[in-house]
Amino acid sequence: METASPKRIDVISDTHGHLSDSLLDAIAGADLVIHAGDITSTSDWDHLCTLCPSIVGVEGNNDYFYDYGPDVERLKLFDYEGLKFAVAHYREDLPVGMINVGVCGHTHRAKIVQTGRCLVVNPGSASYPRGNRGPTIARLMVRDGQVLSVEIIDLQ
């Protein structure tokens, strides 16, 4: 019996109206892109939607004046490759006891934490990082209900 190929999920956040070439190059080929909010540009969202075969996004605290369509809400819950995901801009809004993977942003600092059975991923900011680290995204490889790997990718 042949096993399905792993799926690549690229996680971005806090782009604040700036999609760099290094970010766009990094997410090329992802099976799913997740944006954890503070997009702050409808044209950037539209551009990401045309580039990515599958994309999920949420509103950040700076997105309330933008209309990204009905699928971009404050909290997004969905299943993907046998895993339960939640995406919210704020870590506090993630229902960690009910999901396998939680994605958040807001801090502009990359962080991966295991909280019980839930993996919480903050990709940092792809455009305006805080701290000593430069711009970052997160990358997960998943298959059949398992997170095979998760890492922070430094952008150039």
Side-chain angles (χ1 to χ4, degrees), residues 122-141:
N122 183 330
S125 174
S127 303
Y128 300 103
R130 295 182 184 144
N132 295 329
R133 195 167 194 167
T136 54
I137 67 169
R139 178 166 292 155
L140 293 86
M141 297 300 290

mmCIF file of all heavy atoms in Angstrom, residues 122-141:
data_model
loop_
_atom_site.group_PDB
_atom_site.id
_atom_site.type_symbol
_atom_site.label_atom_id
_atom_site.label_comp_id
_atom_site.label_asym_id
_atom_site.label_seq_id
_atom_site.Cartn_x
_atom_site.Cartn_y
_atom_site.Cartn_z
ATOM 1 N N ASN A 122 3.823 30.335 15.987
ATOM 2 C CA ASN A 122 3.814 31.749 15.625
ATOM 3 C C ASN A 122 4.978 31.938 14.657
ATOM 4 O O ASN A 122 6.133 31.754 15.045
ATOM 5 C CB ASN A 122 3.981 32.626 16.868
ATOM 6 C CG ASN A 122 3.902 34.116 16.552
ATOM 7 O OD1 ASN A 122 4.256 34.561 15.474
ATOM 8 N ND2 ASN A 122 3.447 34.890 17.515
ATOM 9 N N PRO A 123 4.697 32.292 13.391
ATOM 10 C CA PRO A 123 5.767 32.375 12.407
ATOM 11 C C PRO A 123 6.632 33.629 12.506
ATOM 12 O O PRO A 123 7.585 33.773 11.742
ATOM 13 C CB PRO A 123 5.003 32.363 11.082
ATOM 14 C CG PRO A 123 3.729 33.073 11.413
ATOM 15 C CD PRO A 123 3.394 32.605 12.809
ATOM 16 N N GLY A 124 6.306 34.526 13.445
ATOM 17 C CA GLY A 124 6.984 35.811 13.472
ATOM 18 C C GLY A 124 6.430 36.688 12.367
ATOM 19 O O GLY A 124 5.335 36.449 11.863
ATOM 20 N N SER A 125 7.153 37.707 11.975
ATOM 21 C CA SER A 125 6.700 38.587 10.902
ATOM 22 C C SER A 125 7.562 38.380 9.665
ATOM 23 O O SER A 125 8.791 38.395 9.747
ATOM 24 C CB SER A 125 6.770 40.053 11.330
ATOM 25 O OG SER A 125 6.456 40.901 10.234
ATOM 26 N N ALA A 126 6.887 38.229 8.528
ATOM 27 C CA ALA A 126 7.591 38.083 7.260
ATOM 28 C C ALA A 126 8.079 39.427 6.736
ATOM 29 O O ALA A 126 8.873 39.469 5.804
ATOM 30 C CB ALA A 126 6.670 37.432 6.236
ATOM 31 N N SER A 127 7.631 40.530 7.343
ATOM 32 C CA SER A 127 7.961 41.853 6.823
ATOM 33 C C SER A 127 8.600 42.795 7.845
ATOM 34 O O SER A 127 9.492 43.557 7.503
ATOM 35 C CB SER A 127 6.695 42.522 6.274
ATOM 36 O OG SER A 127 6.111 41.717 5.275
ATOM 37 N N TYR A 128 8.110 42.762 9.080
ATOM 38 C CA TYR A 128 8.570 43.710 10.098
ATOM 39 C C TYR A 128 8.863 42.986 11.410
ATOM 40 O O TYR A 128 8.115 43.103 12.381
ATOM 41 C CB TYR A 128 7.532 44.818 10.304
ATOM 42 C CG TYR A 128 7.263 45.593 9.039
ATOM 43 C CD1 TYR A 128 6.116 45.375 8.291
ATOM 44 C CD2 TYR A 128 8.196 46.522 8.578
ATOM 45 C CE1 TYR A 128 5.887 46.075 7.112
ATOM 46 C CE2 TYR A 128 7.982 47.222 7.409
ATOM 47 C CZ TYR A 128 6.827 46.999 6.683
ATOM 48 O OH TYR A 128 6.613 47.687 5.510
ATOM 49 N N PRO A 129 9.969 42.229 11.459
ATOM 50 C CA PRO A 129 10.276 41.453 12.661
ATOM 51 C C PRO A 129 10.679 42.337 13.839
ATOM 52 O O PRO A 129 11.121 43.471 13.655
ATOM 53 C CB PRO A 129 11.445 40.580 12.219
ATOM 54 C CG PRO A 129 12.104 41.365 11.132
ATOM 55 C CD PRO A 129 10.992 42.088 10.427
ATOM 56 N N ARG A 130 10.492 41.789 15.022
ATOM 57 C CA ARG A 130 10.963 42.432 16.249
ATOM 58 C C ARG A 130 12.027 41.549 16.869
ATOM 59 O O ARG A 130 12.020 40.340 16.694
ATOM 60 C CB ARG A 130 9.807 42.621 17.226
ATOM 61 C CG ARG A 130 8.763 43.582 16.724
ATOM 62 C CD ARG A 130 7.656 43.793 17.736
ATOM 63 N NE ARG A 130 6.635 44.659 17.144
ATOM 64 C CZ ARG A 130 5.340 44.533 17.356
ATOM 65 N NH1 ARG A 130 4.887 43.583 18.159
ATOM 66 N NH2 ARG A 130 4.491 45.347 16.795
ATOM 67 N N GLY A 131 12.936 42.148 17.619
ATOM 68 C CA GLY A 131 14.013 41.378 18.220
ATOM 69 C C GLY A 131 15.199 41.298 17.278
ATOM 70 O O GLY A 131 15.289 42.028 16.292
ATOM 71 N N ASN A 132 16.111 40.386 17.572
ATOM 72 C CA ASN A 132 17.349 40.268 16.811
ATOM 73 C C ASN A 132 17.228 39.450 15.534
ATOM 74 O O ASN A 132 18.090 39.514 14.675
ATOM 75 C CB ASN A 132 18.442 39.656 17.692
ATOM 76 C CG ASN A 132 18.797 40.549 18.848
ATOM 77 O OD1 ASN A 132 18.711 41.769 18.740
ATOM 78 N ND2 ASN A 132 19.196 39.955 19.964
ATOM 79 N N ARG A 133 16.158 38.652 15.427
ATOM 80 C CA ARG A 133 15.991 37.796 14.260
ATOM 81 C C ARG A 133 15.350 38.593 13.127
ATOM 82 O O ARG A 133 14.504 39.452 13.349
ATOM 83 C CB ARG A 133 15.102 36.620 14.638
ATOM 84 C CG ARG A 133 15.146 35.496 13.654
ATOM 85 C CD ARG A 133 14.513 34.252 14.218
ATOM 86 N NE ARG A 133 14.857 33.121 13.381
ATOM 87 C CZ ARG A 133 14.667 31.870 13.722
ATOM 88 N NH1 ARG A 133 14.135 31.582 14.890
ATOM 89 N NH2 ARG A 133 14.999 30.899 12.909
ATOM 90 N N GLY A 134 15.718 38.294 11.904
ATOM 91 C CA GLY A 134 15.138 38.958 10.737
ATOM 92 C C GLY A 134 13.765 38.405 10.408
ATOM 93 O O GLY A 134 13.156 37.682 11.207
ATOM 94 N N PRO A 135 13.251 38.698 9.214
ATOM 95 C CA PRO A 135 11.932 38.226 8.806
ATOM 96 C C PRO A 135 11.886 36.696 8.716
ATOM 97 O O PRO A 135 12.858 36.068 8.301
ATOM 98 C CB PRO A 135 11.701 38.866 7.443
ATOM 99 C CG PRO A 135 12.996 39.435 7.015
ATOM 100 C CD PRO A 135 13.886 39.534 8.202
ATOM 101 N N THR A 136 10.744 36.131 9.111
ATOM 102 C CA THR A 136 10.602 34.676 9.187
ATOM 103 C C THR A 136 9.216 34.219 8.746
ATOM 104 O O THR A 136 8.252 34.992 8.760
ATOM 105 C CB THR A 136 10.829 34.170 10.630
ATOM 106 O OG1 THR A 136 9.951 34.881 11.512
ATOM 107 C CG2 THR A 136 12.270 34.359 11.087
ATOM 108 N N ILE A 137 9.146 32.946 8.389
ATOM 109 C CA ILE A 137 7.894 32.223 8.216
ATOM 110 C C ILE A 137 8.064 30.894 8.956
ATOM 111 O O ILE A 137 9.164 30.565 9.397
ATOM 112 C CB ILE A 137 7.533 31.980 6.735
ATOM 113 C CG1 ILE A 137 8.528 31.012 6.073
ATOM 114 C CG2 ILE A 137 7.452 33.293 5.977
ATOM 115 C CD1 ILE A 137 8.084 30.510 4.700
ATOM 116 N N ALA A 138 6.985 30.148 9.080
ATOM 117 C CA ALA A 138 7.067 28.791 9.627
ATOM 118 C C ALA A 138 6.671 27.813 8.526
ATOM 119 O O ALA A 138 5.894 28.145 7.627
ATOM 120 C CB ALA A 138 6.157 28.626 10.829
ATOM 121 N N ARG A 139 7.217 26.607 8.604
ATOM 122 C CA ARG A 139 6.901 25.558 7.631
ATOM 123 C C ARG A 139 6.621 24.262 8.369
ATOM 124 O O ARG A 139 7.420 23.831 9.197
ATOM 125 C CB ARG A 139 8.051 25.374 6.656
ATOM 126 C CG ARG A 139 7.806 24.268 5.635
ATOM 127 C CD ARG A 139 8.782 24.320 4.503
ATOM 128 N NE ARG A 139 8.536 25.523 3.704
ATOM 129 C CZ ARG A 139 9.452 26.127 2.959
ATOM 130 N NH1 ARG A 139 10.680 25.656 2.894
ATOM 131 N NH2 ARG A 139 9.143 27.206 2.262
ATOM 132 N N LEU A 140 5.479 23.661 8.068
ATOM 133 C CA LEU A 140 5.106 22.370 8.625
ATOM 134 C C LEU A 140 4.993 21.363 7.498
ATOM 135 O O LEU A 140 4.525 21.688 6.405
ATOM 136 C CB LEU A 140 3.749 22.438 9.330
ATOM 137 C CG LEU A 140 3.619 23.262 10.589
ATOM 138 C CD1 LEU A 140 3.323 24.701 10.271
ATOM 139 C CD2 LEU A 140 2.532 22.690 11.466
ATOM 140 N N MET A 141 5.398 20.143 7.773
ATOM 141 C CA MET A 141 5.144 19.017 6.884
ATOM 142 C C MET A 141 4.182 18.105 7.644
ATOM 143 O O MET A 141 4.454 17.732 8.800
ATOM 144 C CB MET A 141 6.435 18.285 6.539
ATOM 145 C CG MET A 141 7.442 19.135 5.774
ATOM 146 S SD MET A 141 6.868 19.775 4.185
ATOM 147 C CE MET A 141 6.794 18.271 3.208
#
